[in-house]
Amino acid sequence: MVIRTGPVTIPTAVIKRLPMYYRYLADLDRKGISRISSRELSQIMDITSSQLRQDLSYFGEFGQQGFGYRVEDLYGAICTIIGIENIYPTVLIGAGNLGKAIAKYPGFRRRGIELVGIFDLPDKAGEEIEGIPVYPVNILQSFLLENIVRLGIITTPAESAQQLANELVKGGVSGIWNFAPIPVFVPDDVVAENIHIGDSLLSLLFKIKHKENNELAPN
Amino acid sequence: MVIRTGPVTIPTAVIKRLPMYYRYLADLDRKGISRISSRELSQIMDITSSQLRQDLSYFGEFGQQGFGYRVEDLYGAICTIIGIENIYPTVLIGAGNLGKAIAKYPGFRRRGIELVGIFDLPDKAGEEIEGIPVYPVNILQSFLLENIVRLGIITTPAESAQQLANELVKGGVSGIWNFAPIPVFVPDDVVAENIHIGDSLLSLLFKIKHKENNELAPN
């Protein structure tokens, strides 16, 4: 097994499928399944075997003819490719329902996320969520100066999202996971992932409406 | 302006961009912008003009040479295409933090979602969230028999998700919006949208890791 580590241009479509590989392999690994054929793996993931093999070829050489993949190796490799072996000290801004739900998200630790501080308006400061203190957001700047923080998560209303993103960037984070209902913009050396929960609701409504008309192309 | 209503096969990639069109057009409409050129619209959406024109061609004929698009018309057409003009009586199962956050989601009503009941374990029953009562989940079946419900939202732990999806299907819903951390499966005449919040976190981690190596292809 060779994990490719040198520069290689990975198509966006392949990158988008990486989390799916992670989910299925983590599940197989937890179930104690040690070996899987490319046919079986592609079937449970609902992609073709040739797409599976092509995707994995971007990352290295896995599997052996007639033996299939070792789940643990492939899972470990996908984790390395995604960068999950790292630890990301993280601040969460917004201690409302969504912020609380995210702070309690069971997959966090497995993905290397270590919450070091939660911030909200001063009237919520002093609370604790999952053992992490809620600080007033006006001390965010000094907190970022005094602590190494690699990720910021924003779950505030739209109005304050961009300003908070700017403060996070100034404080040296590498990435922002933004749940506010507007996208935030960051400089080229920082990554922002804007998650629009409502988008998947619209996809659902669209599919309901168009299902009966057979207007949907196969995936 | 002609909105296409007859059967037409819409490629999956175009369907995936529909929520983005909705978001940007809703925003322009709220800002009172009445007219926009295809060049401007494609710029703010970060796609090419030819992609924009091609996408819209699946839905009808919009815009006039040298005039651009009427925002209100295009927004209305996108709403019709997605099916937002309909009202969807909806039940939410799971009154934890995520369920509460979703019940309070400001874009809900605009998208036609009308919460008619929230369900959780009996010890949470009797609460109210946004004026909607929380019922014990053991009366879900009879509630679905007595009320017209078109959508079910699941925000429970993984263990109970599929069984609840089965009950929703038996109760006659057209679609399920599933936030549980495992996908749910439904018969062919029902639509399930499984939202994996953790996937976008993995994309973020991947992009952070690979940014410096210039390994990312342009979109």
Side-chain angles (χ1 to χ4, degrees), chain B residues 66-171:
Chain B
F67 177 85
Y69 300 109
R70 277 186 211 280
V71 170
E72 199 185 334
D73 289 355
L74 197 50
Y75 176 50
I78 293 282
C79 286
T80 304
I81 289 157
I82 295 176
I84 292 180
E85 82 282 25
N86 301 322
I87 298 289
Y88 298 91
T90 299
V91 294
L92 168 67
I93 310 175
N97 290 307
L98 184 58
K100 280 183 191 141
I102 288 169
K104 291 174 184 181
Y105 177 54
F108 243 27
R109 296 304 289 253
R110 265 206 313 281
R111 289 168 168 81
I113 303 302
E114 189 185 12
L115 269 189
V116 293
I118 301 177
F119 294 84
D120 206 316
L121 297 177
D123 62 320
K124 286 208 180 147
E127 286 182 32
E128 276 201 3
I129 298 171
E130 298 287 288
I132 312 294
V134 178
Y135 301 108
V137 71
N138 56 317
I139 68 153
L140 178 62
Q141 275 307 318
S142 56
F143 186 94
L144 294 173
L145 276 175
E146 285 157 25
N147 296 273
I148 292 173
V149 175
R150 294 192 62 194
L151 275 188
I153 306 174
I154 297 175
T155 67
T156 65
E159 300 79 65
S160 35
Q162 183 62 55
Q163 192 214 317
L164 290 166
N166 297 347
E167 289 194 30
L168 288 167
V169 168
K170 218 168 124 191

Side-chain angles (χ1 to χ4, degrees), chain A residues 8 10 12 22-23 80-82 85 177 188 193 196 198-200 202 206-207 209-211 215, chain B residues 8 10 22-23 80-82 85 105 177 188 193 196 199-200 202 206-207 209-211 215 219:
Chain A
V8 56
I10 304 166
T12 310
Y22 173 84
R23 263 190 282 117
T80 304
I81 288 156
I82 295 175
E85 82 282 26
W177 196 23
D188 272 352
E193 188 78 15
H196 298 286
D199 280 14
S200 76
L202 295 181
F206 176 84
K207 286 176 192 161
K209 173 163 178 164
H210 294 263
K211 188 130 209 171
E215 290 175 6
Chain B
V8 55
I10 304 166
Y22 174 84
R23 263 190 280 117
T80 304
I81 289 157
I82 295 176
E85 82 282 25
Y105 177 54
W177 197 22
D188 272 352
E193 189 76 18
H196 298 286
D199 279 14
S200 77
L202 295 181
F206 176 84
K207 287 176 191 160
K209 172 162 181 167
H210 295 262
K211 188 128 208 170
E215 291 174 4
N219 269 297

Side-chain angles (χ1 to χ4, degrees), chain B residues 5 23 32 41 45 82-83 122 125 135 141 174 194-195 199 201 206:
Chain B
T5 50
R23 263 190 280 117
L41 184 56
M45 293 180 64
I82 295 176
Y135 301 108
Q141 275 307 318
S174 310
N194 296 294
I195 176 160
D199 279 14
L201 175 61
F206 176 84

Side-chain angles (χ1 to χ4, degrees), chain A residues 59-116:
Chain A
F59 305 120
E61 288 160 31
F62 304 102
Q64 288 166 251
Q65 197 68 39
F67 177 86
Y69 300 109
R70 275 186 213 279
V71 170
E72 199 186 335
D73 288 356
L74 196 50
Y75 176 50
I78 293 283
C79 286
T80 304
I81 288 156
I82 295 175
I84 292 180
E85 82 282 26
N86 301 321
I87 297 290
Y88 297 90
T90 299
V91 294
L92 168 66
I93 310 176
N97 289 309
L98 184 58
K100 279 183 191 142
I102 288 169
K104 291 175 183 179
Y105 177 54
F108 245 25
R109 296 303 290 253
R110 266 204 314 279
R111 288 166 168 82
I113 303 301
E114 189 185 13
L115 270 189
V116 294

Side-chain angles (χ1 to χ4, degrees), chain A residues 18-158:
Chain A
L18 274 176
M20 181 178 72
Y21 283 109
Y22 173 84
R23 263 190 282 117
Y24 282 100
L25 288 164
D27 191 48
L28 291 169
D29 192 52
R30 268 198 299 277
K31 286 177 178 155
I33 293 164
S34 59
R35 209 170 102 176
I36 192 162
S37 70
S38 83
R39 197 173 54 84
E40 282 172 297
L41 184 56
S42 61
Q43 267 172 3
I44 60 170
M45 295 180 63
D46 202 19
I47 58 176
T48 64
S49 315
S50 71
Q51 181 164 63
L52 173 72
R53 281 190 297 267
Q54 202 186 6
D55 283 359
L56 297 182
S57 74
Y58 284 103
F59 305 120
E61 288 160 31
F62 304 102
Q64 288 166 251
Q65 197 68 39
F67 177 86
Y69 300 109
R70 275 186 213 279
V71 170
E72 199 186 335
D73 288 356
L74 196 50
Y75 176 50
I78 293 283
C79 286
T80 304
I81 288 156
I82 295 175
I84 292 180
E85 82 282 26
N86 301 321
I87 297 290
Y88 297 90
T90 299
V91 294
L92 168 66
I93 310 176
N97 289 309
L98 184 58
K100 279 183 191 142
I102 288 169
K104 291 175 183 179
Y105 177 54
F108 245 25
R109 296 303 290 253
R110 266 204 314 279
R111 288 166 168 82
I113 303 301
E114 189 185 13
L115 270 189
V116 294
I118 301 177
F119 295 83
D120 206 315
L121 297 176
D123 61 321
K124 284 210 181 145
E127 284 182 33
E128 275 200 3
I129 299 172
E130 298 286 286
I132 312 294
V134 179
Y135 301 109
V137 71
N138 56 317
I139 69 154
L140 177 62
Q141 276 306 316
S142 56
F143 185 94
L144 294 172
L145 276 174
E146 285 157 24
N147 296 274
I148 292 174
V149 175
R150 295 192 63 195
L151 276 189
I153 306 174
I154 298 176
T155 66
T156 66

